[in-house]
Amino acid sequence: MIFLRLLPALFGLIALPATPAAATVRAVLVGASSFSDPGLAAFTLPGAARDAERMADALAGLGVEREAMTLLTGREATLSAIRAALDRLAEASRTGDRAVIFLSGHGSQAPARPGDLLEPDGRDEIFLAADAGRWDPRSRSLPGALADDEIGRRIGELRARGTDVWVVIDSCTGGGLLRGAAGRAKTIAPERLGIPAGAPLRGAIDASGFVDGGLAGGGRLVAFAAAGPGGIAWDDGDGDGGGGAFTRALTGAIAARPPASFAALAASTSAGRRAGGTLGAFWTAGDLAAPLLFSGRSPDLLDLARALPPLPFATRTEIDRAGACRAEAWEEGRRDTAGDGATLLRHCDHVRVDIGEPGQPLRIEAWYRDAVGGYTSLAPPLGLVAAPGRWANIGFTFVTHDPGTGRPLPQGDEYLVLIARDATGTAIGAALLRFRAAG
């Protein structure tokens, strides 16, 4: 099982049941476009409400019933209202159902609990509801803020019911990308909310965003976000066409031609953002190979990879002790291999795979297949770029138990699946790297 530096969340830990024909899709769509606190009036964001409405229209175009959607915008998007809507979503969801959670608005960061291994940078990501206020030093919390830990817990509850979950977040979590076009950053600096600077960063970067921690369960998970920590999400202003640049690209891609899979949607969304002049890559995670809205079972990419020729370039695998959840000492330079060729790994081993220079520019898909068949994408939506004179690399941390709960994870062979595609998108080669827990 992997524990990604860019994704400290655990995907697909239990084998999936067959999806029933009568699966129901339900959605909670939030556009926190204004605040009740007069001190935050300057941060009104009308485009956030339009984002939620656009997402509702996009889902309706995919056949989701309006009655199955809860839409919260403006002053109605309070923390209590959001929590109540998520409670109702969980209560109604069953095995094989599908849930969509959409959040658009301002984001920020706050100090994490001391010793929280799932926050290697020492910061929690927070989404600001309509009743957000200033930092409360006694409770060490921000009123009206939905923290990443709670979002992760609620997603975990849905997945434990066997419900597939698609999370979409159009919000900043702090950072410094710049854009030449006019627009508004969807973030409020922590100091404007009275949030203390907190302890220095712990020396690790956490790009997990809001989808964070303890996401074990039977249901599949896909997450899209306009920006991870250190990135900025942009709103295009208050005109009729305003709203989040990311949401506009996403819903535009759905309306233009409903993609077959989440991976195809991510690719078309990325292409739409570039065409619109928006800088910066958005963030994805989870089983992107799944059909859009989980309308079928995810494909087994092992068969595809085994049918392809070997990669037309070399790969190099290195193991070190830089794992994001390390809590013990390792032997320097250790590399163990089983008799059948599988690489043996210990809890919190960090694995880095370097991808050599091909003779022509190629895009590389990188998928991690865990012991029970769940896939996590390790590459950007359009793939890693490898070209003459340009290497690419992938890194992840291997875990044998959930770092947050200590719960042991299913054991067995796990794979890194690398698929190379040429300029036409044709798969021309593949490699399978096999891993197993030592001992």
Side-chain angles (χ1 to χ4, degrees):
M1 180 57 58
I2 54 173
F3 181 83
L4 299 178
R5 284 188 140 193
L6 74 162
L7 175 61
L10 308 173
F11 291 92
L13 305 182
I14 299 175
L16 296 175
T19 301
T24 299
V25 183
R26 300 177 182 87
V28 173
L29 312 171
V30 178
S33 51
S34 60
F35 298 104
S36 55
D37 186 336
L40 298 179
F43 296 98
T44 297
L45 196 67
R50 283 194 283 273
D51 289 342
E53 292 162 357
R54 284 193 178 102
M55 193 65 182
D57 290 341
L59 293 176
L62 294 174
V64 180
E65 298 291 337
R66 295 274 184 179
E67 293 76 13
M69 303 182 204
T70 299
L71 185 65
L72 298 172
T73 61
R75 297 289 180 88
E76 295 181 354
T78 63
L79 181 59
S80 61
I82 295 170
R83 285 173 168 167
L86 294 174
D87 286 342
R88 292 192 297 271
L89 177 66
E91 291 168 2
S93 296
R94 299 291 183 270
T95 297
D97 285 349
R98 300 147 195 172
V100 180
I101 300 173
F102 176 86
L103 303 174
S104 178
H106 283 295
S108 193
Q109 292 181 309
R113 300 183 309 277
D116 188 346
L117 291 177
L118 295 177
E119 301 290 356
D121 61 354
R123 310 292 284 180
D124 277 322
E125 280 65 55
I126 53 176
F127 177 82
L128 303 181
D131 53 343
R134 289 184 61 81
W135 178 261
D136 182 352
R138 291 174 297 180
S139 64
R140 291 184 53 80
S141 64
L142 191 81
L146 189 64
D148 53 6
D149 292 343
E150 180 175 352
I151 295 174
R153 175 179 59 78
R154 288 178 175 277
I155 293 171
E157 291 170 354
L158 285 163
R159 297 185 69 206
R161 293 172 178 263
T163 299
D164 297 326
V165 184
W166 183 24
V167 185
V168 181
I169 300 177
D170 194 341
S171 156
C172 288
T173 56
L177 291 181
L178 298 178
R179 187 178 71 154
R184 179 182 303 176
K186 301 177 75 171
T187 186
I188 300 179
E191 57 268 22
R192 293 294 300 269
L193 298 165
I195 298 174
L201 298 185
R202 301 171 186 163
I205 297 173
D206 170 24
S208 65
F210 291 102
V211 184
D212 196 42
L215 303 187
R220 292 168 288 181
L221 171 66
V222 171
F224 283 21
I232 292 290
W234 291 96
D235 185 279
D236 285 335
D238 298 338
D240 291 339
F246 169 67
T247 297
R248 292 181 65 191
L250 175 68
T251 55
I254 293 173
R257 182 178 182 182
S261 68
F262 287 104
L265 175 58
S268 56
T269 300
S270 183
R273 292 189 78 186
R274 289 203 316 275
T278 302
L279 299 181
F282 68 94
W283 177 93
T284 58
D287 189 1
L288 299 183
L292 188 64
L293 280 189
F294 308 103
S295 57
R297 294 189 65 84
S298 301
D300 190 341
L301 298 175
L302 292 184
D303 291 339
L304 171 62
R306 287 169 174 151
L308 290 170
L311 290 174
F313 50 81
T315 62
R316 180 179 63 199
T317 303
E318 295 184 353
I319 302 169
D320 59 44
R321 57 181 193 177
C325 61
R326 66 179 184 270
E328 58 187 76
W330 280 260
E331 303 168 19
E332 289 284 359
R334 180 188 53 77
R335 175 73 180 273
D336 298 328
T337 303
D340 59 1
T343 298
L344 300 178
L345 300 174
R346 300 179 185 179
H347 180 68
C348 280
D349 273 357
H350 177 248
V351 180
R352 171 175 164 147
V353 179
D354 292 316
I355 297 171
E357 303 176 39
Q360 60 176 315
L362 297 172
R363 293 195 176 273
I364 313 300
E365 296 177 8
W367 302 90
Y368 194 92
R369 184 184 190 274
D370 65 26
V372 293
Y375 283 96
T376 297
S377 173
L378 309 189
L382 295 179
L384 294 164
V385 176
R390 177 173 179 174
W391 282 65
N393 63 74
I394 301 158
F396 61 88
T397 298
F398 182 88
V399 296
T400 58
H401 54 269
D402 185 327
T405 65
R407 179 173 47 198
L409 303 177
Q411 300 297 304
D413 284 351
E414 308 195 357
Y415 295 85
L416 178 61
V417 183
L418 301 176
I419 300 173
R421 297 186 182 273
D422 62 18
T424 69
T426 302
I428 63 169
L432 293 175
L433 285 68
R434 188 154 52 101
F435 305 98
R436 187 183 307 144

